Amino acid sequence: MQVCGSGLGYLPIALVLVSCGTFIGSYVIAVLKKDIAAYFPYISDTGTKPPESCIFGQFLNIAATIAFCTMYIRYKLVESLTGHEDGRLRRLNKAGLVLGILSSLGLSIVANFQETVVEPVHLTGASLVLGCGVLYEFLQTFLTYHMYPEFNGQFIARVRLVLSVISAVSMVTAFTSAGISRYQTDTKDKLHWKPSEKGFDAHIVSTISEWITAVLFLFFFFTYVRDFQKVRVEVNAKLCVRHLDEQPLHIPDERSPLLA
């Protein structure tokens, strides 16, 4: 597919467009239906009631799949470039894949478990998305610095570092402010905050910080576009039988015993 240059450069772009489009679309519908207040709601607030919850869940599941594919391609890219000689780099690369899987799983949990229905599960998913996502950013930034100058330039490493640091600060601010607002507030309707209510200021700081963290995490994948333009993935099928009802034949190799 020749989109956004050669290779797989379209993959991270698709991830950002699908995710941001989902957030904005569900927010607009929720506000128009007056299901939430227009004052910077949490991202998850925009997908709690139908029909926006249906759109939110469906497209976030798609985004979670694209996110996993993007992180896996990044893992294979680093593996192909660096080989297996550097054991530390290999272990860090695998750790990055694990964090990517957990973050993608968290996004799927957020999509399928609304906060107003099963809040503990939803919050677990959100913690996986943001927490593992920020750790993933820092780990990939470290890998980028480690691969300089043999495999990449220093500029891209600095860009990723800036995004990672701001994401981390925003995430800590979001969780801290959320705790403060929950402690201060006495409101029962968490989808329609009013400026006159206690804890409103902390709530707004928390929601804005969450949006910043999520957007920067997505924008982090934009730094993959040029790298992915140099990648092509192929699937090769190797048949071990001539008829699909047959049992696969054992093909001897150098590890096979000489005598059966």
Side-chain angles (χ1 to χ4, degrees):
M1 182 179 292
Q2 301 296 319
V3 182
C4 304
S6 58
L8 299 174
Y10 64 89
L11 197 59
I13 295 177
L15 172 59
V16 176
L17 293 179
V18 170
S19 301
C20 289
T22 302
F23 297 157
I24 296 173
S26 59
Y27 169 79
V28 171
I29 296 174
V31 170
L32 291 177
K33 290 181 76 275
K34 298 183 179 180
D35 289 334
I36 59 172
Y39 304 106
F40 282 102
Y42 285 113
I43 296 174
S44 300
D45 291 348
T46 67
T48 57
K49 297 181 180 180
E52 59 266 25
S53 61
C54 305
I55 298 172
F56 189 83
Q58 176 63 36
F59 283 94
L60 275 196
N61 280 321
I62 296 174
T65 304
I66 301 175
F68 168 75
C69 294
T70 302
M71 296 178 192
Y72 180 74
I73 294 300
R74 169 65 181 175
Y75 164 76
K76 296 299 292 184
L77 172 62
V78 174
E79 182 184 61
S80 300
L81 283 174
T82 59
H84 299 281
E85 297 181 0
D86 192 331
R88 182 187 182 190
L89 186 63
R90 186 175 68 253
R91 289 190 295 271
L92 288 174
N93 192 33
K94 290 182 178 179
L97 178 62
V98 172
L99 289 173
I101 292 173
L102 292 176
S103 182
S104 301
L105 175 63
L107 186 59
S108 180
I109 292 174
V110 168
N112 295 294
F113 297 87
Q114 286 77 26
E115 62 175 341
T116 55
V117 181
V118 278
E119 186 178 36
V121 179
H122 181 88
L123 293 179
T124 299
S127 299
L128 285 175
V129 175
L130 299 181
C132 292
V134 170
L135 289 176
Y136 176 84
E137 290 181 75
F138 275 106
L139 194 147
Q140 292 299 328
T141 300
F142 179 82
L143 287 176
T144 306
Y145 273 106
H146 195 73
M147 293 167 63
Y148 168 80
E150 288 85 359
F151 304 109
N152 55 245
Q154 195 172 39
F155 175 75
I156 192 64
R158 291 173 177 171
V159 171
R160 289 172 182 169
L161 179 60
V162 170
L163 291 174
S164 301
V165 171
I166 299 177
S167 296
V169 173
S170 299
M171 182 189 68
V172 173
T173 303
F175 283 116
T176 303
S177 301
I180 295 174
S181 67
R182 280 175 175 259
Y183 175 77
Q184 293 178 341
T185 187
D186 54 2
T187 182
K188 296 182 179 179
D189 188 357
K190 298 180 180 179
L191 298 180
H192 296 86
W193 283 77
K194 298 178 182 178
S196 58
E197 294 176 335
K198 294 180 180 180
F200 177 80
D201 293 338
H203 170 73
I204 290 298
V205 171
S206 178
T207 56
I208 292 176
S209 298
E210 184 200 43
W211 278 89
I212 292 175
T213 305
V215 170
L216 289 181
F217 179 43
L218 290 172
F219 278 23
F220 187 88
F221 293 106
F222 269 141
T223 66
Y224 287 174
V225 173
R226 289 187 63 190
D227 298 342
F228 279 27
Q229 288 176 349
K230 289 89 174 178
V231 177
R232 184 174 61 186
V233 175
E234 296 179 352
V235 178
N236 295 318
K238 182 178 181 181
L239 292 177
C240 300
V241 295
R242 293 187 177 182
H243 192 283
L244 295 180
D245 289 338
E246 297 176 355
Q247 293 296 324
L249 298 176
H250 175 68
I251 302 176
D253 55 25
E254 65 274 9
R255 292 175 296 181
S256 302
L258 294 178
L259 298 177

